[in-house]
Amino acid sequence: MGKKWILIIVGILILASWQAYYLYSGVHAKPQKKEAEAVELAKKEKNLTSVTNVEHFFKNETYYVVEGKNEHGTDMIVWVGKDKEIFSEIAKKGLSEKQMIDYVKKNHNAVEIIDSRLGMEDEIPLWEVVYIDDQDRYTYYYGYFETGKRYEIYRLKESEQ
């Protein structure tokens, strides 16, 4: 009787593991496929020869931001929208991630930087910087790619109950 229960338990564990793997791979397959499509479009349409980074940006619109070099060795940033619209810019025409973070720290009382990423809204290249400000608010700052100046800002304060 003991061997029978051990086999049943092992069978259930194998089945559960298989289901967990199937669920995990299914959830991750679509974003990876979309990311790969964005990279291929950036290479094809904007002549990127190498890719150094790919990020996703979700706000009102979805974009994949592909960073890399073109055939001339110039650092480029390519924004690929969900409907395959493509925008590109020479990287040095805008602020670097470090420059954007420094700008936000200096001008917006950022105490702790949580995240930063490139994005786009209404065909405007932006930086999104998420941080905690000096009033303990979770803040989403959207600044223009070229200057860092404010496009939009959202501040969230935890409710005190």
Side-chain angles (χ1 to χ4, degrees):
M1 188 76 151
K3 287 184 180 182
K4 180 179 178 183
W5 282 109
I6 290 173
L7 288 174
I8 290 172
I9 291 171
V10 168
I12 290 172
L13 287 174
I14 290 172
L15 183 63
S17 297
W18 175 75
Q19 285 295 319
Y21 170 77
Y22 182 76
L23 177 66
Y24 177 82
S25 63
V27 166
H28 284 62
K30 189 172 183 180
Q32 289 173 345
K33 180 181 177 198
K34 295 280 188 190
E35 185 176 299
E37 288 174 2
V39 168
E40 286 308 309
L41 274 170
K43 285 180 173 180
K44 179 181 174 190
E45 299 295 324
K46 298 300 178 178
N47 300 316
L48 289 187
T49 56
S50 66
V51 173
T52 56
N53 190 36
V54 182
E55 295 255 352
H56 66 273
F57 177 78
F58 301 106
K59 194 171 178 273
N60 295 333
E61 305 162 52
T62 300
Y63 284 91
Y64 284 91
V65 182
V66 182
E67 297 175 66
K69 292 187 182 289
N70 65 14
E71 69 257 357
H72 304 293
T74 305
D75 289 328
M76 299 292 296
I77 300 171
V78 180
W79 290 262
V80 180
K82 72 174 186 171
D83 296 325
K84 297 186 174 43
E85 63 274 19
I86 299 174
F87 304 90
S88 68
E89 191 59 78
I90 296 171
K92 69 180 180 182
K93 286 191 176 181
L95 297 180
S96 69
E97 182 175 27
K98 181 184 180 327
Q99 289 171 320
M100 187 62 199
I101 289 171
D102 289 345
Y103 178 88
V104 169
K105 284 180 177 178
K106 179 181 175 187
N107 297 296
H108 295 282
N109 305 316
V111 174
E112 177 186 353
I113 302 295
I114 306 296
D115 188 35
S116 61
R117 68 183 63 226
L118 286 163
M120 182 170 283
E121 187 169 53
D122 298 325
E123 300 182 5
I124 300 170
L126 302 170
W127 275 104
E128 174 189 70
V129 180
V130 182
Y131 63 92
I132 306 293
D133 71 9
D134 60 352
Q135 296 180 32
D136 203 31
R137 296 177 295 192
Y138 201 82
T139 305
Y140 289 83
Y141 179 87
Y142 297 93
Y144 291 99
F145 169 69
E146 296 87 4
T147 64
K149 291 187 180 177
R150 184 173 82 187
Y151 174 78
E152 281 184 321
I153 192 166
Y154 299 103
R155 294 183 175 106
L156 308 170
K157 178 86 173 154
E158 185 176 346
S159 65
E160 298 177 23
Q161 298 179 3

